[in-house]
Amino acid sequence: MELTLRADMTLVTRNRSALTDLAGGVRLWRLAWALGWLDIRQRYRGSMLGPFWLTISTGVMVASLGLLYSTLFKLDLRDYLPFLALSQVLWGFLAILISEACTTFTDAETVIRSVRMPFFVFSMRALIRNVIALAHNIAVIVVVFAIFWSWPGWEGWLAIPGLLVWVVDGLALTLMLGAFCARFRDIQPIVNSVTQIAFFVTPVIWKPSQLSPSGMEKLALNPFYDLLEIVRGPLLNSDIAATTWIGALGYSAVLCAISWAFFVRARGRVTFWI
């Protein structure tokens, strides 16, 4: 056999290789699902309730914060607690996904060094792992909605497009932060700090209606608010402004573009960085 080695690092070749990686990862979606499910089982191995411990802690926190902040903000508990439960569960999913996106590739160091596999598999693995955890926490939302009989109407189906946007953004985020944090290991604490700050400036424990009209205009500049509202709003039977959808899609497009540009450039170096 004749082995020919050719160094071709043009932009076209890099994009073609990145597209091949994505296509190969999609074909291995069953493997990504199995790895994500295995992560959940290993994380809660030896536990009696498994991931439902997270569900219980989320439920206790929602009940405690709901009673506290409804008193401080002078809010109707029947209206505030469903909002808080939904917001807390959705934000918990986003915060954990952003944090674990930083270790998408470093946590799979042994596998990446041992087996040639598309990097997109590990991106899907991180997303699937967190979606499974989110599915357990949905029980908190169901219980709160049942207690106050605050079920979403037909508008609730409009949350599905928002969830699809979340899936695309989650995959883009894991590819970008996974590669970037593999190169610079001190980025993860910075990302976690930014996420914590974003929690307080995003309407999660407080409602957007508590802001003044000028505050509402500034809130549109918060990408976390737009992305959160396109899923939360329909489930709370709230009208979603067109500007919210435009902002969410615009921020998502920017995120995907940056993620793709960095992944195309860094894909061939990730193995050496980890």
Side-chain angles (χ1 to χ4, degrees), residues 3 31 47 62 73 97 119 156 168 201 221 224 260:
L3 179 63
L31 175 60
S47 174
V62 166
F73 296 150
L97 179 61
F119 290 109
V168 175
V201 300
L221 301 176
F224 291 97
W260 180 256

Side-chain angles (χ1 to χ4, degrees), residues 152-200:
W154 64 268
E155 298 91 347
W157 294 104
L158 298 178
I160 295 178
L163 290 173
L164 294 178
V165 173
W166 280 25
V167 169
V168 175
D169 288 352
L171 293 173
L173 195 67
T174 51
L175 284 177
M176 181 182 67
L177 289 181
F180 195 69
C181 292
R183 177 63 180 86
F184 303 101
R185 302 298 176 92
D186 53 352
I187 296 299
Q188 185 175 7
I190 299 176
V191 172
N192 291 336
S193 298
V194 172
T195 304
Q196 187 175 9
I197 295 173
F199 171 78
F200 293 104

Side-chain angles (χ1 to χ4, degrees), residues 7-20:
D8 187 2
M9 297 299 292
T10 62
L11 183 60
V12 175
T13 302
R14 288 177 174 177
N15 277 277
R16 187 183 299 115
S17 299
L19 287 173
T20 302

